[in-house]
Amino acid sequence: MRNIIVKKLDIEPIEEREVEIVERKGLGHPDSICDGIAESVSRALCKMYIEKFGTILHHNTDQVELVGGHAYPKFGGGELVSPIYILLSGRATMEIYDREKNEIIKLPVGTTAVKAAKEYLKKVLRNIDIDKDVIIDCRIGQGSMDLIDVFERQKNKVPLANDTSFGVGYAPLSTTEKLVLETERFLNSDELKKEIPAVGEDIKVMGLREGNKITLTIAMAVVDKYVKNIEEYKEVIRKVKEKVEDLAKKIANGYEVEVNINTADDYERGSVYLTVTGTSSEMGDDGSVGRGNRVNGLITPFRPMSMEAASGKNPVNHVGKIYNILANLIANDIAKLEGVKECYVRILSQIGKPINEPKALDIEIITENGYDIKEIEPKAKEIANKWLDNIMEVQKMIVEGKVNTF
């Protein structure tokens, strides 16, 4: 019997509270770049291990640091004079002993990691020359033997938790959360970039809801080579503002929405958010894994959050990663049940215990009027048990890139 607790939560639903704040750091933000590289490196190592040995070996590549470069942007096109520096660190299985051949097999961890990092950067940052504008330094080392031992031990083919840690998830997203998330995704979509190529990838969206009004404050890098002067820059801001307002009409569900873009600009002084590469990483803005979005893609101070840096952690037994993703999957399924208004899930592991047997799985539900928690409880437990019974599916989803970590 698993320790699954279901209880009614007697608080105001998020949509009924007077104030709500939501943030998303876009794909080109230095912290998100680090998250994306860390996760790409982990997935690449997983595929390399599976290809060579048919299984995923121990690794955690969640230590990626970005040190900003130096650029001189100007209308019509500036230049990057000092490259962006990216440090890949963490731990991985770099060699194994082949008992049959009585030899040590060296694994291409470093080359696999650097290749994955370059491929990710090419995909995300359209205006960077990876070979010229970025230095990638791989310092991934051999993993800790005690954690490797826990990694390799299993109980009935279920991995044992690498740590005593917890994961948090909730559902559904509020209107403000959906709007913030979808705004950044839209601004970094191929559709928008084709129409307005001057829009860079470093986009941060901050949403504030006060009563029935949502204010979006957007910091959006503009790529200098696509705008010849301040007037063209202003026209880019105007077009993007209109498009975000149109998007808001589809999502905002009756809320009044105000859109502000690059509020620090001073047109009279010619001080605007102009970049060579489309990311603030070019000019001294640094980044680290785990300082940005949670696994649902948002930063939500009005909701429960874990401080765990999920990106780059191994998808086999690192509960700091698995449980945060799992908690959101469970919460989303429970939120679809009749009578459920909001659902919050917290899952706690115990080091050395099977990951499908958490120390506690706590489910809190805000019910719709007229519904009894006792009627919902067995269905919620059934959903939680089903996910725990199939927890290896979560590993597969992570390796295949079917779930986000930031």
Side-chain angles (χ1 to χ4, degrees):
M1 292 293 292
R2 294 181 175 120
N3 185 24
I4 300 175
I5 309 106
V6 180
K7 55 185 181 292
K8 183 176 180 179
L9 184 60
D10 288 317
I11 63 170
E12 280 185 313
I14 193 74
E15 298 271 11
E16 296 176 19
R17 299 179 205 175
E18 186 61 27
V19 176
E20 182 183 7
I21 298 171
V22 182
E23 179 183 0
R24 173 162 171 81
K25 294 180 179 179
L27 294 181
H29 188 284
D31 293 332
S32 295
I33 290 173
C34 291
D35 285 330
I37 289 174
E39 188 62 14
S40 295
V41 169
S42 173
R43 288 205 303 268
L45 290 179
C46 287
K47 290 173 183 175
M48 183 268 287
Y49 290 143
I50 290 170
E51 182 181 318
K52 290 183 177 294
F53 304 107
T55 190
I56 298 171
L57 302 182
H58 179 262
H59 69 278
N60 289 307
T61 59
D62 56 323
Q63 302 295 322
V64 176
E65 298 290 330
L66 184 152
V67 180
H70 199 115
Y72 287 100
K74 65 179 181 179
F75 290 113
E79 59 183 341
L80 189 67
V81 296
S82 292
I84 298 164
Y85 173 82
I86 294 172
L87 173 65
L88 310 180
S89 60
R91 299 289 157 176
T93 302
M94 307 186 77
E95 57 184 39
I96 64 167
Y97 176 65
D98 188 326
R99 290 186 176 85
E100 292 183 3
K101 296 181 179 179
N102 191 30
E103 65 179 14
I104 294 174
I105 300 174
K106 304 284 187 180
L107 303 175
V109 168
T111 52
T112 300
V114 171
K115 181 183 177 184
K118 286 184 176 181
E119 288 178 351
Y120 179 77
L121 288 171
K122 286 177 183 176
K123 182 175 70 174
V124 172
L125 300 176
R126 300 169 303 119
N127 295 288
I128 274 189
D129 183 331
I130 302 302
D131 297 322
K132 180 170 67 74
D133 297 339
V134 182
I135 296 171
I136 298 177
D137 185 4
C138 184
R139 289 290 182 266
I140 296 173
Q142 177 65 36
S144 165
M145 293 311 297
D146 58 335
L147 290 180
I148 291 174
D149 180 60
V150 172
F151 183 92
E152 292 174 346
R153 279 188 280 136
Q154 296 183 355
K155 182 179 178 182
N156 298 325
K157 296 185 177 180
V158 176
L160 306 184
N162 77 314
D163 194 5
T164 301
S165 186
F166 66 89
V168 178
Y170 65 85
L173 296 183
S174 70
T175 301
T176 309
E177 289 165 342
K178 289 176 188 174
L179 183 57
V180 167
L181 185 63
E182 293 305 321
T183 295
E184 187 277 332
R185 286 177 174 171
F186 172 67
L187 293 179
N188 267 324
S189 67
D190 290 340
E191 173 192 353
L192 190 280
K193 302 297 189 190
K194 286 177 183 176
E195 185 176 347
I196 313 176
V199 176
E201 289 75 34
D202 194 345
I203 294 164
K204 188 170 88 166
V205 183
M206 184 70 74
L208 167 66
R209 180 180 60 77
E210 297 173 284
N212 290 317
K213 181 181 179 181
I214 299 173
T215 303
L216 295 182
T217 302
I218 301 170
M220 182 187 77
V222 175
V223 183
D224 59 6
K225 65 183 177 182
Y226 298 108
V227 287
K228 296 177 182 177
N229 50 51
I230 194 75
E231 294 306 317
E232 289 191 7
Y233 176 95
K234 290 161 71 173
E235 182 63 11
V236 167
I237 300 301
R238 186 192 65 78
K239 286 181 179 179
V240 172
K241 185 173 185 290
E242 283 186 358
K243 289 190 173 295
V244 174
E245 288 170 343
D246 288 341
L247 178 70
K249 290 173 184 175
K250 302 172 186 175
I251 298 173
N253 197 25
Y255 286 105
E256 176 191 351
V257 178
E258 177 184 317
V259 179
N260 301 290
I261 301 177
N262 293 357
T263 55
D265 286 351
D266 187 329
Y267 294 148
E268 290 185 5
R269 294 178 59 236
S271 176
V272 293
Y273 192 3
L274 201 64
T275 66
V276 177
T277 61
T279 171
S280 61
S281 302
E282 72 178 32
M283 196 63 175
D285 202 355
D286 308 322
S288 298
V289 173
R291 292 200 315 191
N293 312 319
R294 303 300 90 192
V295 298
N296 68 351
L298 297 167
I299 302 166
T300 52
F302 282 64
R303 304 272 209 168
M305 290 196 303
S306 164
M307 293 301 293
E308 192 75 49
S311 297
K313 289 181 165 65
N314 85 73
V316 176
N317 79 331
H318 204 302
V319 285
K321 178 177 200 161
I322 297 166
Y323 276 11
N324 275 292
I325 292 170
L326 182 63
N328 278 280
L329 291 169
I330 291 172
N332 273 285
D333 281 357
I334 292 174
K336 296 172 186 173
L337 294 174
E338 185 179 345
V340 175
K341 200 161 194 175
E342 288 181 7
C343 177
Y344 296 85
V345 175
R346 299 171 182 85
I347 314 174
L348 174 66
S349 66
Q350 192 172 52
I351 190 169
K353 301 298 181 183
I355 61 173
N356 66 345
E357 298 177 18
K359 185 67 175 174
L361 196 159
D362 181 73
I363 301 169
E364 294 182 318
I365 296 171
I366 301 177
T367 60
E368 300 277 5
N369 291 334
Y371 284 87
D372 191 333
I373 191 67
K374 291 180 181 178
E375 297 173 358
I376 299 171
E377 180 179 0
K379 297 174 186 176
K381 284 187 174 181
E382 182 182 353
I383 288 169
N385 274 310
K386 184 178 179 181
W387 273 109
L388 290 170
D389 288 341
N390 295 280
I391 199 165
M392 300 308 289
E393 273 299 306
V394 179
Q395 176 193 119
K396 185 179 178 184
M397 292 164 71
I398 295 169
V399 174
E400 293 177 353
K402 292 181 178 178
V403 289
N404 296 318
T405 57
F406 67 100

